[in-house]
Amino acid sequence: MAQQDTSSKKPFRVIVVGAGIVGLSLSHALQLANIDHVVLEKHSKIVSLHGAALMIYPGVARIFDQIGILKKIQDAMTPVQGEFSRWEDGSILKRQENIRITSEKFDMPVILFDRQKCVTHLYENLPDQSMIRTSARVERIEQDHNGVKVWLTDGTFEEGDMVIGADGVHSLVRDLMWDYAEKSDPGSIPESDKTCLFTQYKGMFGISEKDGLTDFGPSEVNVLGGQDVTKLLFTQPGIVYWAIIYKDEYSQPPKAFKPDEKEQEETAQRFKDIKFAENTSFEDIWKRKTRSGLVNVEEGILDKWHAGRIVLVGDSAHKMTADIGIGANMGIESAVVLCNTLQASLSAQPPNYHPSPAELSKLFQTYQDKRYERAKLFVTLSGSVTRMRSYQSLWKKFFVTRIAPLSFMQKMQGERMMAGFAKGPKLDYVKTRTINEDAEGWKMGQEQANGMGWMAYAVLTSAVGVGLSYAAMLKWGLPAL
């Protein structure tokens, strides 16, 4: 171990870039670990209007319980009362039970929530909000053996021991990390990481008033397939959250996409006649909108999440499509694993310990090793579901409309998903507050540890689906693609 100057009065300090859901979760976790830090947010306000609905599954709900905001979120939302998969014309294909069963197994509701309100809860309930710095746009990062300095566009800077890039899929920190690695350690970042992200879909997301949309209940989840398009519609009392995810030009790496209001309106007109229910078209929803956005839907995962004193968390390292609503959950999980790794390392050291770059690199690699396979699995699974629901081959359409709804497939998929939620990480150094960890759902994760793993399950499900689809197509004289 390298010699450290433990006489320094400066504590170990973390600089987090990005105060979205992941960055604010990091601040909660770091404050609970008594780790000094600052969170830099380029915008002037923390609570932005970007994004629409958010699903919080049991694993992350447990983390929110640890940091003390779960009860407040639960009090502000209505548990899901209906879950439907629908045909392309909006008619009901099947009433689903996965969310209800998951809620029962874990003895708490799956959270269907407003992304903006989630950010509000995370920020307003921070023990110390002074650790969040707004209007702090990063310009460059300087690092050496003794520490790191993050320069801002206003000419000021923040100093510390490490930088966490929680600044999303268009991460500036990631670009600066690559620049540093190219100069200091050529070849340490795989060239494939520069192009691993790609886009094949775009997404229009928004929120509308529910008044007059009588096809939907007060708290529902609706999933619709379609040729080259998938549709999601969630409701809470008086509110409709919706998304249209549609196939577009393939680009690797993604091309810059900054649509204006005119392009949004043109896209809305393109899809105005598609159905969300038998008597509800997108035009009906669009004219009731209160906010909306049009974005690229990036996908992919980096092979190297760190270099020098910089490490990436969330969408800056692993980005997935929105069809299973798991992206924010995976980002928060990664933040928790990184904080667990930091807390365990620092607690074994003397006060005011300052690790060398080599020691940080080892710590960062430990974090990545704990997260990579799980994150990669959900990147792959999310992309597969998007392509199933958008009917990217005849067998995919057949699988998602004829095989997946079968009771035994629903049961198997539901059990594996619940086991996956149960195996999610939590803060190692903080107790839970209100949830029942003796609930049956948490035990499913323990059972999976001794049984079929996630990757084996994914392979089995795919094989069963392909086999059943192929047999049915031959029987009914359809081409088996």
Side-chain angles (χ1 to χ4, degrees):
M1 182 177 291
Q3 292 292 321
Q4 301 297 323
D5 180 12
T6 57
S7 63
S8 170
K9 294 183 179 180
K10 290 184 178 180
F12 176 88
R13 190 169 192 248
V14 177
I15 302 172
V16 179
V17 180
I21 289 175
V22 174
L24 293 173
S25 297
L26 278 164
S27 185
H28 275 278
L30 291 168
Q31 290 191 45
L32 288 168
N34 295 314
I35 296 175
D36 188 30
H37 67 281
V38 63
V39 181
L40 305 177
E41 171 55 47
K42 65 182 179 181
H43 295 109
S44 60
K45 296 181 179 180
I46 294 298
V47 182
S48 72
L49 295 178
H50 299 294
L54 187 69
M55 295 289 285
I56 299 297
Y57 293 108
V60 170
R62 178 169 61 179
I63 295 167
F64 281 180
D65 184 57
Q66 289 181 293
I67 66 180
I69 66 171
L70 178 62
K71 186 66 167 58
K72 294 178 181 180
I73 290 176
Q74 289 175 333
D75 289 345
M77 53 82 66
T78 299
V80 174
Q81 298 168 357
E83 182 184 2
F84 304 93
S85 57
R86 295 177 180 266
W87 291 102
E88 194 168 357
D89 65 1
S91 60
I92 293 175
L93 167 62
K94 186 176 179 64
R95 183 184 180 102
Q96 308 281 4
E97 298 290 339
N98 287 336
I99 291 178
R100 179 188 65 79
I101 293 172
T102 298
S103 297
E104 290 178 357
K105 294 283 189 183
F106 286 90
D107 194 21
M108 63 178 175
V110 172
I111 295 170
L112 172 58
F113 202 48
D114 187 314
R115 182 178 291 266
Q116 176 185 341
K117 291 180 181 177
C118 184
V119 171
T120 301
H121 278 287
L122 283 165
Y123 177 64
E124 290 185 351
N125 291 283
L126 279 169
D128 185 355
Q129 293 180 1
S130 71
M131 291 184 170
I132 313 297
R133 180 176 173 184
T134 56
S135 299
R137 186 179 294 270
V138 173
E139 181 178 78
R140 68 184 190 275
I141 298 175
E142 297 175 354
Q143 56 177 306
D144 56 27
H145 188 81
N146 296 314
V148 63
K149 182 181 290 187
V150 178
W151 286 90
L152 309 179
T153 54
D154 64 3
T156 64
F157 61 85
E158 294 284 352
E159 290 184 291
D161 292 271
M162 58 176 280
V163 175
I164 302 176
D167 51 343
V169 68
H170 305 295
S171 173
L172 172 63
V173 172
R174 183 179 62 219
D175 291 340
L176 296 174
M177 182 186 85
W178 286 343
D179 290 343
Y180 168 81
E182 185 174 348
K183 295 174 183 176
S184 64
D185 190 11
S188 60
I189 299 292
E191 280 302 312
S192 58
D193 274 8
K194 309 291 180 64
T195 58
C196 72
L197 294 179
F198 67 93
T199 55
Q200 193 175 18
Y201 290 81
K202 284 186 169 60
M204 177 173 274
F205 302 83
I207 299 177
S208 298
E209 295 177 349
K210 188 179 178 297
D211 183 45
L213 300 177
T214 58
D215 280 331
F216 311 107
S219 182
E220 282 186 4
V221 170
N222 293 271
V223 177
L224 299 91
Q227 188 59 53
D228 295 332
V229 62
T230 77
K231 293 161 280 183
L232 304 171
L233 185 144
F234 310 139
T235 62
Q236 285 283 280
I239 302 173
V240 174
Y241 306 98
W242 51 265
I244 298 174
I245 302 165
Y246 59 96
K247 189 177 180 182
D248 197 68
E249 178 185 357
Y250 182 89
S251 177
Q252 187 175 18
K255 294 179 181 177
F257 181 58
K258 297 182 178 180
D260 54 20
E261 290 186 13
K262 180 175 180 292
E263 189 165 358
Q264 271 199 63
E265 188 63 42
E266 290 173 348
T267 303
Q269 290 304 307
R270 171 183 169 186
F271 293 111
K272 67 184 181 67
D273 293 326
I274 66 172
K275 295 288 190 178
F276 276 80
E278 290 179 277
N279 301 307
T280 304
S281 68
F282 179 57
E283 186 175 29
D284 299 322
I285 297 169
W286 179 255
K287 67 185 181 183
R288 292 171 169 82
K289 73 176 176 69
T290 57
R291 69 176 189 261
S292 63
L294 183 61
V295 298
N296 267 336
V297 179
E298 296 91 352
E299 305 174 61
I301 182 168
L302 274 63
D303 282 332
K304 185 75 178 295
W305 299 1
H306 62 93
R309 293 181 175 271
I310 301 174
V311 64
L312 305 176
V313 169
D315 285 355
S316 62
H318 46 75
K319 179 65 172 65
M320 53 206 73
T321 64
D323 274 88
I324 61 173
I326 202 74
N329 291 258
M330 288 297 104
I332 294 168
E333 283 191 9
S334 291
V336 163
V337 171
L338 177 58
C339 289
N340 283 340
T341 308
L342 272 174
Q343 191 273 341
S345 175
L346 294 175
S347 64
Q349 302 296 337
N352 302 327
Y353 169 73
H354 297 280
S356 68
E359 290 168 328
L360 279 178
S361 180
K362 184 177 179 180
L363 185 151
F364 294 159
Q365 190 60 49
T366 298
Y367 145 70
Q368 181 179 329
D369 289 344
K370 291 178 179 178
R371 287 298 299 159
Y372 184 84
E373 289 301 327
R374 183 172 169 87
K376 184 177 181 179
L377 176 61
F378 277 104
V379 168
T380 302
L381 181 61
S382 296
S384 296
V385 171
T386 297
R387 287 161 181 81
M388 288 280 186
R389 291 178 180 167
S390 59
Y391 304 164
Q392 291 307 290
S393 71
L394 185 56
W395 92 260
K396 284 184 171 67
K397 178 179 180 179
F398 189 85
F399 178 80
V400 79
T401 60
R402 299 295 186 181
I403 303 300
L406 294 174
S407 296
F408 85 93
M409 288 294 289
Q410 288 285 303
K411 185 174 185 293
M412 182 169 65
Q413 291 170 350
E415 288 177 352
R416 292 299 96 188
M417 286 296 287
M418 286 186 282
F421 298 150
K423 284 178 67 65
K426 64 177 180 178
L427 292 169
D428 293 338
Y429 47 91
V430 180
K431 294 181 179 180
T432 55
R433 305 185 187 210
T434 66
I435 68 168
N436 175 19
E437 287 194 279
D438 291 325
E440 182 181 354
W442 300 112
K443 298 174 184 177
M444 296 175 75
Q446 299 168 6
E447 292 167 359
Q448 181 190 303
N450 298 316
M452 187 195 312
W454 259 100
M455 192 60 71
Y457 159 69
V459 172
L460 176 61
T461 302
S462 178
V464 169
V466 172
L468 290 174
S469 300
Y470 184 78
M473 288 175 175
L474 290 181
K475 177 179 178 181
W476 294 335
L478 296 172
L481 297 180

